[in-house]
Amino acid sequence: MAAAENKRAVVLLSGGLDSAVLLAQLRSEGWETLALSCDYGQRHRRELVSAQALAAHYGLVHETADLRALAHLLGSSLTTAGVPVPHGHYTAENMKSTVVPNRNMILAAVAAGWAISQKASAVAYAAHSGDHTIYPDCREEFAQALDNALRLCDWSEVRLLRPFTGKSKAELVTLGTRLGVPFQLTWSCYEGGDRHCGECGTCVERIEAFQLAGVADPTAYA
Amino acid sequence: MAAAENKRAVVLLSGGLDSAVLLAQLRSEGWETLALSCDYGQRHRRELVSAQALAAHYGLVHETADLRALAHLLGSSLTTAGVPVPHGHYTAENMKSTVVPNRNMILAAVAAGWAISQKASAVAYAAHSGDHTIYPDCREEFAQALDNALRLCDWSEVRLLRPFTGKSKAELVTLGTRLGVPFQLTWSCYEGGDRHCGECGTCVERIEAFQLAGVADPTAYA
């Protein structure tokens, strides 16, 4: 089967809002979707529960790539206990502490390995225009270089799908509403509690996205 | 410090002959070397012991990236018990069963993550001209695409060093002999025993490399 005809994709499903909309968007385009979450030792483990709930909602095959054994090589405030998560709006300085070095490439490489074994032709992730350029691996030129490498990693091409690069998070809320995404199942907060804290950088962005979209926010904040 | 001035490299050290020569070569060029081995659940676990012995010989910081938790996503005859390892010379057919999908990209991505956290400017691996083109991720164009992606994965470039792409395994034996590589510490066999079996594909290649180089083979074969 030619790559163009194979519409089976591995979707990187974090449990967050963005990747839930990605899943719905690809399905609306006729893609068969497999879901892959990553456990890199994030303190906000609640998002993995959300990923599972989203996969169950859509009836998907769902696997988790357990990368916790790599924590001693990588590590950031997202994975290391005792390093505080920045509050309020992100700034260049407080975001640096949330960088997991080369995380996107590691996730894409593992997802592509699973895609090859599942005869899928694509790996999809929910990069969008609000992604912070403090993360070097959120840059467009990096994503293009990664796509080029993935197209050569197997005899069949594995494409990197990033349909949201031109969209804001608020636009994803609008799109997801139209596609019936169960936003109440998604998780954004980095604090690690049982409810969204409403104060950390990702909570602030989530709240603003619903406000800008003019959509009722179903999230129960602490 | 500019990337060109930073001569600190993460060397992918499998425990095999090729990466041992790579380590010696980089050190002879003035590189400070850190060693990274990967545990991807290979049945020939003896090579990890060899990697440790080589790192100790050179007095290196040595870490192992434990990727065993990914076995359910990847998997091949190198990792799956019950799938026989091909014997004798490799053929296209019997080598296909030893493919771990996208292994080289996964290893390079993890190594680059560690390189970033260690402020190293390069990841080195021992690709050589004898690498089998049955592996798509041994192709030159893939390596170049991977290099391009790594150069963009952080604000400082991480380069992919592959100084042996034009050399045969026999040439590596010659070079390693000149550099004093302790070949007796290296491990090639895929069979998983305590001594090299002398019959599997990698043992056959090892034996031939010493013969072609005209160097006494220190290996104790079963």
Side-chain angles (χ1 to χ4, degrees):
Chain A
M1 197 189 302
E5 296 168 335
N6 173 347
K7 292 196 78 167
R8 175 178 248 204
V10 169
V11 177
L12 285 166
L13 186 70
S14 68
L17 187 156
D18 309 339
S19 62
V21 180
L22 175 64
L23 195 54
Q25 173 66 26
L26 290 180
R27 292 170 67 80
S28 78
E29 294 172 7
W31 286 86
E32 178 192 356
T33 50
L34 305 167
L36 183 66
S37 300
C38 281
D39 186 348
Y40 54 93
Q42 56 269 59
R43 293 195 296 188
H44 48 304
R45 304 191 64 74
R46 178 63 180 72
E47 77 173 10
L48 294 172
V49 177
S50 284
Q52 202 156 22
L54 286 161
H57 175 87
Y58 288 105
L60 305 182
V61 172
H62 178 223
E63 294 282 356
T64 299
D66 185 348
L67 302 176
R68 284 176 293 177
L70 303 180
H72 65 298
L73 300 175
L74 311 170
S76 79
S77 76
L78 294 186
T79 57
T80 310
V83 181
V85 175
H87 269 209
H89 280 89
Y90 283 122
T91 65
E93 270 319 298
N94 70 22
M95 283 191 66
K96 276 183 184 163
S97 70
T98 65
V99 174
V100 176
N102 211 23
R103 182 176 69 172
N104 284 351
M105 188 168 178
I106 295 170
L107 299 189
V110 171
W114 191 43
I116 293 167
S117 77
Q118 295 292 318
K119 304 200 187 312
S121 63
V123 167
Y125 80 105
H128 61 84
S129 67
D131 284 340
H132 302 280
T133 52
I134 187 69
Y135 298 118
D137 56 353
C138 287
R139 291 180 290 177
E140 176 62 21
E141 65 241 67
F142 172 72
Q144 284 179 8
L146 188 58
D147 185 25
N148 288 336
L150 287 173
R151 285 171 188 265
L152 292 161
C153 78
D154 191 30
W155 298 121
S156 308
E157 287 190 351
V158 177
R159 293 163 54 203
L160 191 63
L161 302 178
R162 310 169 287 131
F164 296 159
T165 51
K167 291 200 189 308
S168 69
K169 198 175 186 82
E171 289 175 302
L172 296 190
V173 170
T174 302
L175 176 61
T177 301
R178 187 162 60 72
L179 294 169
V181 170
F183 285 124
Q184 73 283 0
L185 299 181
T186 67
W187 188 264
S188 299
C189 181
Y190 274 2
E191 271 298 333
D194 288 332
R195 306 180 80 176
H196 282 80
C197 76
E199 293 181 352
C200 70
T202 49
C203 275
V204 169
E205 289 176 354
R206 180 183 178 99
I207 291 166
E208 286 182 350
F210 279 101
Q211 285 175 345
L212 287 168
V215 170
D217 184 347
T219 314
Y221 296 97
Chain B
M1 195 188 305
E5 295 167 334
N6 173 346
K7 292 197 76 168
R8 176 179 248 206
V10 168
V11 177
L12 284 166
L13 187 69
S14 68
L17 187 156
D18 308 339
S19 62
V21 179
L22 174 64
L23 195 53
Q25 173 66 26
L26 290 180
R27 293 171 66 81
S28 78
E29 293 172 8
W31 286 85
E32 178 191 356
T33 50
L34 305 166
L36 183 66
S37 300
C38 282
D39 186 346
Y40 53 92
Q42 56 269 61
R43 295 196 294 188
H44 47 301
R45 305 192 63 75
R46 179 62 180 71
E47 76 173 10
L48 293 172
V49 177
S50 283
Q52 202 156 22
L54 286 161
H57 176 87
Y58 288 105
L60 305 183
V61 171
H62 177 223
E63 293 283 356
T64 299
D66 185 347
L67 302 176
R68 284 177 293 177
L70 303 180
H72 65 296
L73 300 175
L74 312 170
S76 80
S77 76
L78 295 186
T79 59
T80 310
V83 182
V85 175
H87 269 208
H89 280 88
Y90 284 123
T91 66
E93 271 318 298
N94 68 23
M95 283 190 68
K96 276 183 184 163
S97 68
T98 66
V99 174
V100 176
N102 212 24
R103 181 176 70 172
N104 284 350
M105 188 168 179
I106 295 170
L107 299 188
V110 172
W114 191 43
I116 292 167
S117 77
Q118 295 292 317
K119 303 199 188 310
S121 64
V123 167
Y125 79 104
H128 62 84
S129 67
D131 283 339
H132 302 278
T133 51
I134 188 68
Y135 298 119
D137 56 354
C138 287
R139 290 180 291 176
E140 177 62 21
E141 65 242 67
F142 171 73
Q144 284 179 10
L146 188 58
D147 185 26
N148 288 336
L150 288 173
R151 285 171 188 264
L152 293 162
C153 78
D154 192 30
W155 298 121
S156 309
E157 288 189 350
V158 177
R159 293 162 54 203
L160 191 63
L161 303 178
R162 309 169 287 129
F164 296 159
T165 50
K167 291 199 191 309
S168 69
K169 198 175 188 81
E171 289 175 302
L172 296 190
V173 170
T174 302
L175 176 60
T177 302
R178 189 162 60 72
L179 294 168
V181 169
F183 285 123
Q184 74 282 1
L185 299 181
T186 68
W187 189 264
S188 299
C189 182
Y190 273 3
E191 271 297 333
D194 289 330
R195 306 179 80 175
H196 282 79
C197 76
E199 291 180 354
C200 71
T202 49
C203 274
V204 169
E205 288 176 354
R206 180 183 177 101
I207 291 166
E208 286 182 349
F210 279 102
Q211 284 174 345
L212 287 168
V215 170
D217 184 347
T219 314
Y221 295 97

